[in-house]
Amino acid sequence: METQEEMHKYTLYYFPVRGRGEPIRLLFHLDNQPFADERISLEQWPSYKSSMPLGQIPVLEVDGVKLAQSPAILRFLGHQQRRAGANAIECAKLDMIAEVVQEFSNTEGAGKFGRVLLGMITADKNQYYKEHVVPDLEKYAPIIEKFLVENGNNGLFIGDRETWVDVFSAEVFSKFIEYGSPDALDAYPHIRAQIQRVFNHPNIKRYIASRPVTPF
């Protein structure tokens, strides 16, 4: 967590859904880090787009400087809030795992599930889940499970303190239980334990209890 001397002014720009912005929100709430949560409607988005570094969101503004790409934002906050590795090797291992989570988030199946739920892709939700999401889960979930097993039974990738990658992974995979099928991760007890640990952290639990209900 930042000291008083290191405090920055943060503004997060994202749509009023969980999507790719929610892991960032969760990481802020994990340490009660103050930030402005600027939720932009689709109608408002055209007036914001040209001011964003890559013409897309999420974007985190830090003391007037705008940063794009959710993994880069999460990694930055992880170091700012001391939620990264304890040394260069641990940081590299967390980066490696985060790349797997991000790759899963970008797949043609699971990566587009949110668009189906939001009506941006016309498809039957249940059929799409079975035919396109499940194969991606079966490919990527065992990899994440393996990394968690290597660290024991505490639901974390490294050590005994939640890192930015634990928050990232928990949020990404939890949505397939909530929006896909309750048994989506029954074969992966360590991922379920990670989700439970992250979401039951008092600060995150408090935020989840009051956050708006969104379609994804």
Side-chain angles (χ1 to χ4, degrees):
M1 188 63 183
E2 296 168 329
T3 65
Q4 191 65 36
E5 292 77 15
E6 297 170 324
M7 288 294 285
H8 296 287
K9 181 180 179 182
Y10 295 116
T11 300
L12 175 65
Y13 298 92
Y14 193 59
F15 299 115
V17 295
R18 286 166 66 177
R20 295 178 185 269
E22 195 67 5
I24 302 168
R25 295 181 184 123
L26 292 176
L27 191 54
F28 275 126
H29 285 286
L30 178 63
D31 291 309
N32 284 327
Q33 174 66 57
F35 75 107
D37 191 0
E38 191 76 19
R39 298 183 181 229
I40 303 170
S41 69
L42 289 177
E43 293 74 23
Q44 294 172 312
W45 171 234
S47 66
Y48 281 86
K49 186 172 182 177
S50 63
S51 67
M52 299 302 166
L54 304 178
Q56 62 190 35
I57 44 180
V59 161
L60 179 66
E61 186 171 347
V62 186
D63 301 334
V65 178
K66 290 176 178 173
L67 307 174
Q69 297 286 13
S70 52
I73 294 169
L74 287 164
R75 185 178 296 109
F76 167 76
L77 291 176
H79 286 282
Q80 289 295 110
Q81 296 177 203
R82 295 176 175 80
R83 293 287 180 177
N87 52 54
I89 290 294
E90 286 190 358
C91 287
K93 184 175 181 180
L94 288 173
D95 286 345
M96 172 180 67
I97 298 169
E99 290 289 343
V100 176
V101 177
Q102 182 68 0
E103 185 177 305
F104 171 64
S105 299
N106 289 334
T107 57
E108 283 296 306
K112 292 184 176 179
F113 189 45
R115 290 175 174 265
V116 172
L117 295 173
L118 292 167
M120 300 168 69
I121 295 176
T122 303
D124 177 80
K125 170 201 155 183
N126 295 324
Q127 183 178 355
Y128 187 92
Y129 174 79
K130 291 176 183 177
E131 295 180 1
H132 301 285
V133 176
V134 170
D136 284 339
L137 280 170
E138 291 176 344
K139 177 180 179 180
Y140 287 93
I143 301 172
I144 299 302
E145 182 80 358
K146 177 179 70 71
F147 286 127
L148 290 167
V149 169
E150 288 175 357
N151 193 45
N153 294 309
N154 63 358
L156 302 176
F157 290 123
I158 286 178
D160 195 31
R161 187 170 186 265
E162 296 84 357
T163 67
W164 68 272
V165 187
D166 293 303
V167 174
F168 185 25
S169 174
E171 170 61 15
V172 166
F173 281 95
S174 71
K175 286 187 288 192
F176 296 97
I177 296 176
E178 295 178 51
Y179 299 103
S181 174
D183 64 357
L185 297 172
D186 281 1
Y188 312 103
H190 288 75
I191 298 179
R192 292 185 68 97
Q194 181 180 62
I195 294 168
Q196 184 175 17
R197 173 158 181 164
V198 170
F199 283 17
N200 279 330
H201 186 284
N203 296 342
I204 289 180
K205 189 174 183 178
R206 188 181 310 113
Y207 161 68
I208 290 174
S210 63
R211 73 181 172 189
V213 176
T214 63
F216 190 70

